[in-house]
Amino acid sequence: MEAYPPQYLSPNLPYVLLSGLGQPESASAQRQSQRGTASCPLDHLLSEAGPRLVSELPHIESGIAEQLQAYFFAAARPAADRAGHGEAQRKNTAKLAILVRNIRREYRLPRRKADAPEQLKDISPADGVHSASTVAAPALHSPISPLTPASPLFPDGLMTPTWLSKHQSMLPAAFIFFYAMTADAKLASLQDNLIKNDINQLKRSLSASSHKSRIVVVLLSGQSIVDAPDLDDRLANIRRSTALDPKSSFFFLPAKSSPVELKAFAHTVLDTLRPLCIEYYRDLSKHARRKRNRASIPAPTVPPTQGTSRTLASQGWNVRYEFKLGVLAEFRQEMEAAARNFEAAYETLLGHDVFGSIAAWSPRWNEARLLADVIAVHIIRCMLHHGQTTAAVRKWQLHRHRMRDIVDRRGKGSNNYGWEAWEARWATVMSELLQASSSSLPSLIAVTPSSTSPSPDLATDGNRIYASPEKGIPLGERLLPWELAHHPGYWLNLAAQHLKSRRALALEMPEEDRASPRESATSYAAYDSYLCPEPHEEYPLASSGRQGTQHADLIVGVLQPALDHFRSRSQPRFIERLRFELAKEHMQRRDWTEALQTLRQLWHTMSWRREGWWSLVADVALALRSCAGRVGDAASIASVDWELLSDRFATNTHFTSDVTRCLDGVSGIESKPMIVLRDGHVASFLSVTYAFKARQGHVGEPLSSQLVISSHARDATAAVTLSEVKIAFDGSLGSIVLRHSEADLPTGTDAPQSVQVRLRDAAASGASSPPASPGTMSRRPSFVGETDLSFAPGQTKMIGFSTVLREVGDTSAQTATLSMSADSFDLDYVVSLANQADSADWWSLVDTKPKRQRRIDERGGVIKLLPKPPKMQLSLPQIDKQYYTDETIELMVEMINGEDEETDASLEVHIVGTGDVVPQIVWADNGCRVDDVDADAPGYKVGKLAASAKAATSFSIPASAFAVDYVLDVKVLYRLLSDPDTPVSKTVTVDIAVIGPFEANYDFSPRVHPDPWPSFFSISDDEEGGDDDNDGDGGKRRASGIIQKWCLTTGIASFALEHLVIEDVRLPIVGINGGVECTITKSAADEASTAKTTASEVAPSDVKQVSFTLDVQKQSLEDRRSASLDLALEIAWRRKRADAPSNVTTLAVPRLLVPGGEPRILASARRGASLESAGAGAGALLHLDYTLENASMHVLDFELCMETNEDFAMSGPKLSSLQLVPLSRHTLRFRLFPLVGGGGGKWIQPQLKVVDRYFNKTLRVVCAADGMRMDKKGILVWVDDDL
């Protein structure tokens, strides 16, 4: 938009001037600021002899003043405007931006009326027949009005940019004057009077100028109202004397304000001024609207006498007023109203009454075209402000078509360079408008794409190529693609195309039209020079010595930003095309270095090579070679000539038949260059594939592989000879290097050839090998071979070789490097073999023709190396099915050498368990030879084994106290004595589960101790001693407390999978609490069983009952505490086989509680004497004894009641009472005669109810003998049939 006056297209913002604050602008800068950013040549018409506003008081120069000035400048551009929040602007929620400038104390306002013409000033009564009273005063108008003779618009002009400059940089909406108030009490009154006089003088001057600008006063004081109480009165006095509104025109800033307060003060002042500024421009709009609505046209100051001799028509005045109303609406940021006014002005301007009445040869023609362009730009800007992108594009196209129609009908036509220049400028204007409206169009903001996101081909969120149509488009309306608002890069590209057309049309001009007007009288009527040079300046004659228009520079100026826009949106096809066009324009400018750099970027990354557009690739290649030849870039020349040898290109494409001589005649090459090419950057005439014959192989065995190199060079190309071919691998193989040798095969033929190359170790031959990568062997093997590496056009060579690898894993071919050494350069062409689609094929020569054996399942360049298959037999012959805790695990390992030769073997055992501690393996010598552990053969060294020899050894795993699962890996690692570098291994994995062999349940019940209790009324000899714990001899005193008998019955269940032998069961004491002594003995039955046999066999899931008798006695008779016993159950067991070792398993016993001083009732039953009855046969009585114990220190009274039962006859007291003294017990015996009716016996339930009289509590009867049990009702006694 540089061709248009900047005042026409500058943003219209309310204009506010600061005076007296900080360092003012210089006089020249102030004049420049009054004229705007760019100087307008007609601004002097307004600024000269205009009214002046002069303030006599000095500037405020201090640190606070400078800070406040900066805050005013920052607050004038709200955060929403600076951040580009277009949505807030469209909804009028953003603050109105303001243009703020700082001026001196003197400012000149623009004039409202022009001076009278000179001929009217000289009229007097003596000069004519008219007297002074009859001569009418001249009608004076604005200096830039079409009615003023001195105006450039006189008499029929439409608009001048000076009017916009007047409101943009001359006439502010408000003045903000800053004054400093003194803190000196003696000078306060004088200073205040000076401020009041200065303000009143400024108000009178502004009122006399008839301008409606507002005056705002800001007073800065060195004191605050708190520090100086009279300051408030001084401020009130100044305000009353100047008649300033305290809410909108009078502000006070106290001293010592912080930066935050200064910033808030600046925002407050400008926020107060924003509605005043809007009202100011609204008043101007009302004034313009009243002038538009008047019925007649004002008379000019002097009637026109030159040119058309006519004044501007009423339709022209409507254009002026509508345009002014639109501009003033933009000042108020009312874009909808501005768009309506601009549309009215546009339609009126292009109507027959305005544009149609202007002659094409008149200067007013170009002025009208310029005004039409400006109004169209304002309309498009308003539409973009509201997000109406499609409407904006349609308006842009409509204006383009209407201008073309007008130029073709009434102008000089559109088939000339002038029209193409306008087309390019119009496209550039649209691009700049889209860029300036990016805040209102977030969908067109370019976002740099990440490496993981794909390049978008359509509009996507956050990175749009074009903006979506607005909602105002009718539903179902079909939109054309070019009616969508694409990003600025498209419009710049369109401008570049028109600039190329402009250059082509300019170059077609004949010489007679290109001569200077002083040299030739040829008319320029056929050429449109609107906003562009005349023909003799556009493309001057060579004899004139003038340079003319640099079209290449103009094209580069739009192509480069267009390329940046397309690059930011990841559009690769456009990027490549624009880069090529940009490079050709650099070549047009003969900027070979810049062209070479651009072409080199395109050369390496263009997609045309991948997609097969070989004609485009050839064009780029030839352009790159042309630039490289002029610059002396040997690498680019060799790269291009290497690629152009391929038969993919057309036969008419220029190329060098012998690539080794491509640098002949190239100057500027100082040393022999080393050139590296990659297959992704060039399309080589040599194709390379590599494949292994098999997908899998074994370590130490020969592996066949094949390298196929084919030449696709043109027929006229000389044979190419490579110096070497190097294949790099990933895995256990380092590299394979093939060097050129002509000794084996004849040369000069293009027939396919198949050769087998014998490789040798690179280390043995003295060749260098690549360094080992981390994680691989210390040295990966590399091999070297020799063969003929010369290739005629169309020739294919299949080179096979065999290698032996020593490392297990995947090995893949990565790259193949084809090296060529010429006299003037060295070249390496690197081909990637990692992702080749056809590298899985195996080639063979059948009838002198190569035949392909296709394999589609796997990539042929990868082979999986497996360990050498072991022939050593490894077994664990004596492993048990199940192992148990507390048992040492003994395992035997047996090896049989199945190899055909002697081996050197060693054993490794790795164990992994579920527990936290991994047990250590203990090796044993079982008759086989045991050597010392070798550092190179970790584990158990077996030694040398002859073919078919057998060796065995054993190891043990320590016993575990807990159940655990082991995973045992037994590995034999051996090497053949003939091949010590290849280790061979075989592994046997065994799962061993260790479980507990036994589980036990326990029954702890009381018994009646046969020994009498100690008497409460007598003292034994032991209790007469002085010490409670020691006897008289100093030893531990014998226990003298109450003794109780208990029975612990345990049921030992076998969880083993086989029969186990239990040798012994013990119940050791772990701990005793409560001051008691405990003696543990086995029951009589268990003792008898132990005496008969030393061990008992337990089958799986069987339960073995073992009873123990516990005698618990208190240390002291007076001790009434409860006691607890901590015991453990030890089971000595072994497996059933005779040589099995004995093991001891310890099971935890729950803590046993022994009550102290509570009374209890123990029931025991035994068989009594026989009875003879006449009617009932022989039987026996059942003696049921109830023992009542009082272990307390109180006398207890009980009531006893034996309930009758139909299951037995009873003899004994049914109701009785009993009194027990402390520490005593009493036994009640009942004789029962069971009434058993047959059926194998039954349970009878005698019930004795014992109630404590004092506590009225029923005591529970407890079983104290075998053959009894309890339920909820009481005890039960088993009675057999024979009883």
Side-chain angles (χ1 to χ4, degrees), residues 145-220:
S145 172
L147 303 176
T148 301
S151 172
L153 301 180
F154 183 80
D156 55 353
L158 291 171
M159 182 56 64
T160 175
T162 306
W163 182 85
L164 285 95
S165 178
K166 168 185 174 182
H167 293 281
Q168 291 173 353
S169 59
M170 294 184 183
L171 184 59
F175 289 94
I176 303 179
F177 291 97
F178 294 84
Y179 297 97
M181 299 183 67
T182 181
D184 191 353
K186 298 180 180 180
L187 300 177
S189 179
L190 178 60
Q191 182 69 19
D192 294 349
N193 291 332
L194 292 177
I195 293 175
K196 291 186 291 184
N197 294 335
D198 193 80
I199 295 174
N200 291 327
Q201 180 61 34
L202 291 173
K203 293 179 65 177
R204 287 192 294 269
S205 301
L206 184 60
S207 177
S209 66
S210 300
H211 292 298
K212 304 300 181 181
S213 301
R214 298 292 297 265
I215 290 182
V216 179
V217 174
V218 178
L219 299 180
L220 281 70

Side-chain angles (χ1 to χ4, degrees), residues 244-308:
L244 294 175
D245 186 2
K247 296 182 180 180
S248 60
S249 302
F250 190 79
F251 298 92
F252 171 71
L253 180 64
K256 300 179 182 179
S257 297
S258 64
V260 176
E261 293 174 338
L262 293 177
K263 182 178 180 180
F265 179 79
H267 280 276
T268 301
V269 173
L270 292 182
D271 289 345
T272 305
L273 286 181
R274 283 188 174 93
L276 300 180
C277 294
I278 294 176
E279 190 64 28
Y280 167 78
Y281 290 107
R282 184 170 287 112
D283 292 340
L284 294 180
S285 299
K286 293 178 181 179
H287 178 70
R289 193 175 295 109
R290 286 193 298 268
K291 295 174 67 176
R292 182 197 62 183
N293 295 334
R294 59 192 176 186
S296 60
I297 302 175
T301 304
V302 176
T305 57
Q306 297 179 353
T308 59

Side-chain angles (χ1 to χ4, degrees), residues 688-696 702-710 727 729 736 753-757 796-803 813 836-846 849-863:
V688 182
T689 61
Y690 181 84
F692 290 96
K693 191 171 185 179
R695 291 179 296 175
Q696 294 182 350
L703 304 175
S704 299
S705 57
Q706 185 184 71
L707 175 68
V708 179
I709 302 178
S710 301
I727 307 172
F729 295 85
I736 296 178
Q753 297 178 1
S754 177
V755 296
Q756 191 72 24
V757 178
T796 299
K797 289 189 177 182
M798 294 157 283
I799 306 172
F801 27 76
S802 178
T803 56
Q836 283 192 351
D838 57 348
S839 62
D841 301 335
W842 184 267
W843 293 80
S844 59
L845 200 61
V846 179
K849 294 183 179 180
K851 183 179 180 180
R852 175 184 299 180
Q853 299 177 4
R854 184 174 295 276
R855 299 181 305 180
I856 61 175
D857 51 348
E858 296 288 343
R859 189 163 61 90
V862 179
I863 188 170

Side-chain angles (χ1 to χ4, degrees), residues 536-555:
H536 69 281
E537 296 176 352
E538 177 76 12
Y539 185 37
L541 296 173
S543 59
S544 64
R546 292 189 297 270
Q547 190 173 7
T549 302
Q550 299 297 319
H551 299 95
D553 294 344
L554 297 177
I555 297 173

Side-chain angles (χ1 to χ4, degrees), residues 1023-1258:
E1023 294 177 344
E1024 292 179 355
D1027 194 351
D1028 293 338
D1029 296 331
N1030 299 326
D1031 56 14
D1033 297 334
K1036 188 172 181 63
R1037 194 186 69 177
R1038 184 170 59 88
S1040 60
I1042 296 176
I1043 187 170
Q1044 297 179 0
K1045 186 176 182 180
W1046 295 81
C1047 180
L1048 178 63
T1049 303
T1050 175
I1052 303 174
S1054 175
F1055 280 71
L1057 301 180
E1058 56 185 312
H1059 288 72
L1060 299 180
V1061 177
I1062 297 179
E1063 296 178 343
D1064 190 16
V1065 179
R1066 296 181 293 273
L1067 190 66
I1069 299 175
V1070 178
I1072 298 177
N1073 301 311
V1076 297
E1077 291 183 358
C1078 180
T1079 303
I1080 301 176
T1081 58
K1082 282 188 179 181
S1083 64
D1086 293 332
E1087 289 290 348
S1089 176
T1090 304
K1092 292 178 181 179
T1093 178
T1094 57
S1096 61
E1097 184 177 334
V1098 180
S1101 302
D1102 281 357
V1103 179
K1104 178 181 176 59
Q1105 297 285 344
V1106 180
S1107 299
F1108 296 91
T1109 301
L1110 287 73
D1111 293 334
V1112 182
Q1113 185 177 12
K1114 284 287 187 177
Q1115 293 283 352
S1116 175
L1117 186 61
E1118 298 178 356
D1119 191 356
R1120 298 293 179 270
R1121 295 176 300 167
S1122 297
S1124 61
L1125 303 177
D1126 294 330
L1127 307 177
L1129 184 65
E1130 293 182 353
I1131 305 172
W1133 62 276
R1134 61 177 174 83
R1135 292 181 182 267
K1136 192 176 179 181
R1137 58 177 179 263
D1139 59 343
S1142 179
N1143 307 300
V1144 177
T1145 298
T1146 302
L1147 301 179
V1149 179
R1151 175 169 288 186
L1152 305 178
L1153 183 63
V1154 179
E1158 294 84 359
R1160 61 179 183 168
I1161 304 173
L1162 305 178
S1164 60
R1166 63 184 179 86
R1167 183 176 296 183
S1170 308
L1171 294 177
E1172 293 290 341
S1173 177
L1181 292 176
L1182 185 65
H1183 290 177
L1184 182 61
D1185 295 337
Y1186 290 92
T1187 302
L1188 284 71
E1189 296 181 348
N1190 179 14
S1192 66
M1193 300 297 292
H1194 308 281
V1195 178
L1196 301 180
D1197 292 334
F1198 300 101
E1199 289 184 355
L1200 294 85
C1201 177
M1202 172 61 81
E1203 297 181 0
T1204 60
N1205 197 299
E1206 62 183 5
D1207 293 333
F1208 58 86
M1210 179 189 68
S1211 174
K1214 182 178 181 182
L1215 295 173
S1216 62
S1217 61
L1218 179 64
Q1219 188 177 45
L1220 291 180
V1221 298
L1223 303 179
S1224 64
R1225 62 181 178 176
H1226 179 76
T1227 301
L1228 292 177
R1229 175 168 291 180
F1230 294 88
R1231 291 187 297 274
L1232 305 180
F1233 182 76
L1235 303 177
V1236 180
K1242 65 180 296 187
W1243 291 95
I1244 62 174
Q1245 192 169 31
Q1247 293 188 3
L1248 177 65
K1249 184 176 181 181
V1250 182
V1251 179
D1252 188 345
R1253 289 181 177 179
Y1254 183 80
F1255 293 101
N1256 195 21
K1257 179 180 179 182
T1258 302

Side-chain angles (χ1 to χ4, degrees), residues 678 726-729 813-817 830-834:
R678 299 189 178 275
K726 182 177 181 180
I727 307 172
F729 295 85
Q814 296 297 312
T815 59
T817 303
V830 182
V831 182
S832 176
L833 303 177

